[in-house]
Amino acid sequence: MHDHAHGRRAIEAMIRSADLGGLLRLAETFHGHLCPFVSLGVKAGQYAMATLDRPNTGMEEIVAIVECNNCFTDGIQVVTGCTFGNNALIFRDLGKTAVTVSRREDGQAVRLLVRPDYREQMFARYPTAEPLFQKIVVQRQGTPEDWHRFEHMWEAIARRELQTPLEEQFVIQHLRIDPPEYARIYDSVLCSRCGEQLMAPRAVGSPAQPLCRVCGQAHYYLLTGQGISEVNETQL
Ligand SMILES: [Zn+2]
Ligand SMILES: [Zn+2]
C-alpha cells in the first residue's frame, strides 16, 4: 500500500517540528485575524497532536471535542484538522475554553483547559493592553486610531504568547475516552412543500408527505455566538 499525499502533510510537519509561528500564520488565514485566543488554540492543538502522534486526513482518525465556540476553536480546527465540515469537531456547549483531542483507534486523549487566571496573567505581561482592551472590546468605544493601535498590539501579543510555557496557560490532562460514533450518511428526502432536499432524520410530517422543518414550522437547533438553542423559524 502506498502513502497518499494528503492536504495536511505540511501542517503535520509543522506539528512535529513544533513550528508554532507557521501554524499561527495558517490559523490567521482561517480566522481572519490574530488574537491571543487563536494563539492558544494553535498551541493546544499542536501539543495534543504531537502527543497523540497520529496523522489526520479529516476522516475522523482524530476527534476534537471543543467546549466553546470562540477564537480558540479556530486554532484547534486548523491544527488538528478536525473541522465543522468533516464531522471530527464535536461541540459540547459548556462555555469553557477547553478541548479534548482524541485518537479514535484507542481513545487516548489529551484535554487542555485554559487556566482560570490566564487573562489576568496575560494582561500582567502586557500592562498597556488591558485599558485598550476594555475600551475597544468590552465597551466597544475608541477612535479609529485606538482600533488600529489595538489591532497591532493584539497581533503582537498573539505572537509573543507562543513563547509562554504551555503549563502557565493550560491545565493539561491525559485521559482515555470513548470516541463518539462515526458520522452517518443519511438518506435524503424532498420536502413536499418547498421541494428542497434534506436529510431524512430532519424531516417532519408523514413519510408520504415529508416536510422540512421550515415548511413544517418545527423546532430545530441553531448554533450562534450565543451557543446552541432550540428555535423555530418565527423566532429568527
Ligand atoms: Zn480572534
Ligand atoms: Zn420545505
Side-chain angles (χ1 to χ4, degrees):
M1 196 169 67
H2 66 275
D3 230 15
H4 278 278
H6 65 84
R8 285 183 40 86
R9 190 151 283 177
I11 293 181
E12 266 151 22
M14 288 169 155
I15 290 168
R16 281 193 302 274
S17 65
D19 179 6
L20 294 173
L23 292 169
L24 186 64
R25 276 193 294 281
L26 293 177
E28 183 185 6
T29 66
F30 183 67
H31 184 56
H33 62 258
L34 281 183
C35 62
F37 276 81
V38 81
S39 180
L40 288 175
V42 163
K43 291 183 75 172
Q46 189 275 334
Y47 176 82
M49 292 301 280
T51 303
L52 297 173
D53 192 25
R54 175 73 166 87
N56 184 12
T57 65
M59 298 300 285
E60 304 180 55
E61 303 97 322
I62 296 281
V63 290
I65 304 160
V66 292
E67 300 175 25
C68 56
N69 55 335
N70 61 26
C71 304
F72 178 78
T73 298
D74 277 353
I76 294 296
Q77 289 190 86
V78 169
V79 176
T80 65
C82 301
T83 71
F84 190 60
N86 67 23
N87 297 124
L89 184 74
I90 311 286
F91 181 43
R92 287 173 90 193
D93 193 7
L94 299 179
K96 300 181 187 181
T97 305
V99 64
T100 302
V101 186
S102 174
R103 193 165 61 195
R104 185 183 284 282
E105 64 208 29
D106 59 2
Q108 201 61 46
V110 190
R111 179 169 184 261
L112 295 102
L113 166 77
V114 173
R115 288 194 174 275
D117 62 352
Y118 173 73
R119 211 167 107 163
E120 198 184 319
Q121 297 291 330
M122 187 264 289
F123 280 129
R125 287 191 279 277
Y126 316 102
T128 53
E130 184 155 27
L132 209 50
F133 177 85
Q134 285 295 336
K135 194 170 171 188
I136 300 282
V137 179
V138 181
Q139 292 155 27
R140 294 188 177 274
Q141 287 170 355
T143 63
E145 290 77 52
D146 287 336
W147 256 106
H148 190 80
R149 223 153 51 85
F150 176 74
E151 279 170 9
H152 276 286
M153 193 188 62
W154 221 216
E155 283 182 17
I157 293 175
R159 288 197 190 89
R160 288 264 289 280
E161 283 298 285
L162 294 180
Q163 269 121 56
T164 303
L166 200 67
E167 309 73 53
E168 289 179 25
Q169 297 170 319
F170 293 99
V171 177
I172 304 169
Q173 301 161 287
H174 293 262
L175 57 161
R176 201 175 274 266
I177 65 163
D178 287 330
E181 301 258 308
Y182 275 108
R184 283 172 59 184
I185 310 293
Y186 292 108
D187 288 339
S188 296
V189 295
L190 296 183
C191 172
S192 59
R193 187 165 302 164
C194 69
E196 295 186 0
Q197 191 175 50
L198 62 141
M199 287 154 60
R202 293 294 178 278
V204 293
S206 66
Q209 279 197 308
L211 291 168
C212 73
R213 301 185 90 89
V214 176
C215 293
Q217 299 190 325
H219 284 79
Y220 57 89
Y221 295 103
L222 185 74
L223 171 62
T224 67
Q226 272 76 53
I228 298 173
S229 56
E230 200 180 4
V231 297
N232 64 39
E233 204 60 7
T234 56
Q235 291 168 294
L236 278 184

